[in-house]
Amino acid sequence: MAVFEYAPAPESLRPAIRERYGLFIDGKWASPAGEGHFDTINPANEARLAEIAYATPTDVDRAVRAARKAYEKYWRRLKPADRAKYIYRIARAITERGRELAVLETIDGGKPIKESRDFDIPMAAAHFFYYAGWADKLEYVLRAGREPSPLGVCAQIVPWNFPLLMAAWKIAPALACGNTVVLKPAETTPLTALALAQIIEECELPPGVVNVVTGDGATGSALVEHEDVDKIAFTGSTEVGKSIARRLAGTDKRLTLELGGKAAHIVFADAPMDQAIEGVVNGIYFNQGHVCCAGSRLLVEERVHDEIVVRLTERLQTLRLGDPLDKNTDIGAINSRAQLEKIQELVKSGVEQGATLVQQRGDLPARGFFFPASFFTNVHPSHRIAREEIFGPVLSILTFRTPDEAVDKANNTPYGLSAGIWTDKGSKNMWIAQQLRAGVVWCNTFNQFDPGSPFGGYRESGFGREGGVHGLYEYLAH
Ligand code: NAD
């Protein structure tokens, strides 16, 4: 009898990774001034993937100078429709190399391949497509009669949870408006930003229009402090965001901050319960909970609390945790040992403060950084797990009795990035949405994104918007 072998899945083909990466400055790959390098590893098995250049302040200065030169010499002078052609080219190249980028994102960051393949990479391409279309229509962004003009050199600093997507959110609108860019990816996930630099090279953008410098917080700090940077767009922790805001006070640099969150996810007793449970699962376990807008505080109406706990407990056991490259995996690897330890510490505090922990059963892989999908019941609003961003697959469940109490508890946080509401009453949905102090409110759904839809925070979640027309406003002088 003939034996048919399966062809290798596209995801199992290892993308070409260089042994060692330089910095992408002025259209060329350059060694860092200090000759320093650091490893980027696969968090699912702790294997080294590549050596990454560590950019010093001297390298940051070279990158900013290259961006300035490109701004004055080419980019701001280019006809907007011609800028659009380059941005479309990047979008098409991301689409063509989608599988390769998805594998890179997954091995460098730990997220399940089904998420990088079906969400991160297509959404990154969609942002370039969307903003390419805006490049020659900028006069419709500002008030009538105002001439759109770019800001100049933009420093863009991104975190590790959606590396390519965050880079796309920042680079695409900046370029469409005529700015040039110095991008700094996070230290644990530089590979897709470097692949994007290769794409930009292949798309023959004028040298210096996009520069990529790799490194850690000190590299980011040098970029923030560089005197020839006109705008800083930062996505990351609230703590670092606040320090940047303090350092920029009194300067004329423009700033947008996309920071942390502790979103309320509200479920009323009249909600379509099957869908709500799936929404809650997606809201917290998507990308192992490494999501700034994760629905990490579940507020359930008291009379359906027990039913929801039973259903969530059952659903937890059906989630598959393991190799992020397996396309059936739901829960991949935690991004780094440091992040795993932070999650473990906060979960320990939850148990010590008296909450009840429910976890997905089963052994964790022997190597790599993993944490089981988890939730807490008996959570008090003053517990650390109800107040601090855990940034892992851990949900805190609280209860409420009336819509007013739901609103009070939802707004009882220093953050204000996102929220979700589940009820079959349209008027209740609308009324609650208006009361919530959050940049995005999802009604009977969660984690829906679109390049045309703005995203951003209130209060300690930051200010400024990315996405949509609002995202362009942040890159134009006004
Ligand atoms: P982080 O603040 O530690 O680092 C983010 C980036 O800033 C990294 O590239 C890092 O190297 C750099 N950086 C660190 N210190 C710096 C400094 N002093 N000056 C300049 N740059 C510096 O955050 P993280 O742990 O990488 O990311 C997780 C955080 O990001 C979470 O709080 C999450 O909620 C937030 N986040 C927010 C959004 C949003 O859109 N609001 C999106 C994704 C992630």
Side-chain angles (χ1 to χ4, degrees), residues 158 160-161 184 187 234-237 258-260 292 389 391:
V158 295
W160 44 260
N161 56 344
K184 198 206 80 69
E187 44 273 51
F234 173 81
T235 298
S237 59
E258 298 276 1
L259 309 177
C292 48
E389 188 183 40
F391 225 57

Side-chain angles (χ1 to χ4, degrees), residues 388-431:
E388 294 178 31
E389 188 183 40
I390 301 177
F391 225 57
V394 185
L395 177 69
S396 299
I397 306 182
L398 298 100
T399 58
F400 66 87
R401 289 184 187 170
T402 64
D404 284 326
E405 192 189 350
V407 169
D408 283 348
K409 284 191 165 161
N411 287 337
N412 180 16
T413 169
Y415 295 111
L417 193 56
S418 69
I421 308 165
W422 292 85
T423 166
D424 76 348
K425 299 277 187 298
S427 57
K428 192 153 68 181
N429 240 327
M430 292 303 147
W431 183 81

Side-chain angles (χ1 to χ4, degrees), residues 242-400:
K242 280 183 182 175
S243 85
I244 293 176
R246 275 195 294 269
R247 279 185 283 164
L248 293 195
T251 72
D252 56 4
K253 289 179 184 170
R254 288 267 296 272
L255 175 65
T256 42
L257 294 174
E258 298 276 1
L259 309 177
K262 189 75 185 173
H265 203 163
I266 305 172
V267 181
F268 284 94
D270 60 15
M273 210 46 85
D274 290 344
Q275 288 92 329
I277 295 290
E278 287 313 300
V280 169
V281 167
N282 172 284
I284 185 64
Y285 302 124
F286 176 60
N287 198 24
Q288 296 79 243
H290 299 329
V291 183
C292 48
C293 55
S296 53
R297 277 186 305 143
L298 182 64
L299 302 179
V300 298
E301 195 167 339
E302 202 171 86
R303 63 197 162 96
V304 284
H305 170 269
D306 293 353
E307 178 195 344
I308 287 178
V309 169
V310 168
R311 293 177 71 156
L312 271 180
T313 307
E314 285 167 5
R315 185 68 178 85
L316 222 53
Q317 308 315 330
T318 65
L319 294 173
R320 283 184 54 143
L321 178 149
D323 181 3
L325 275 179
D326 180 335
K327 56 193 162 202
N328 295 310
T329 291
D330 299 303
I331 310 282
I334 299 302
N335 183 262
S336 63
R337 185 182 298 282
Q339 186 58 26
L340 178 61
E341 285 168 0
K342 185 182 153 205
I343 297 167
Q344 287 166 337
E345 194 267 320
L346 272 160
V347 166
K348 187 160 162 270
S349 84
V351 173
E352 284 168 2
Q353 289 190 307
T356 308
L357 177 64
V358 179
Q359 287 189 309
Q360 166 182 31
R361 287 188 294 270
D363 295 333
L364 299 180
R367 285 188 71 78
F369 316 129
F370 289 89
F371 196 86
S374 311
F375 67 80
F376 278 106
T377 57
N378 297 319
V379 179
H380 193 275
S382 65
H383 286 167
R384 284 182 66 201
I385 52 168
R387 307 205 63 78
E388 294 178 31
E389 188 183 40
I390 301 177
F391 225 57
V394 185
L395 177 69
S396 299
I397 306 182
L398 298 100
T399 58
F400 66 87

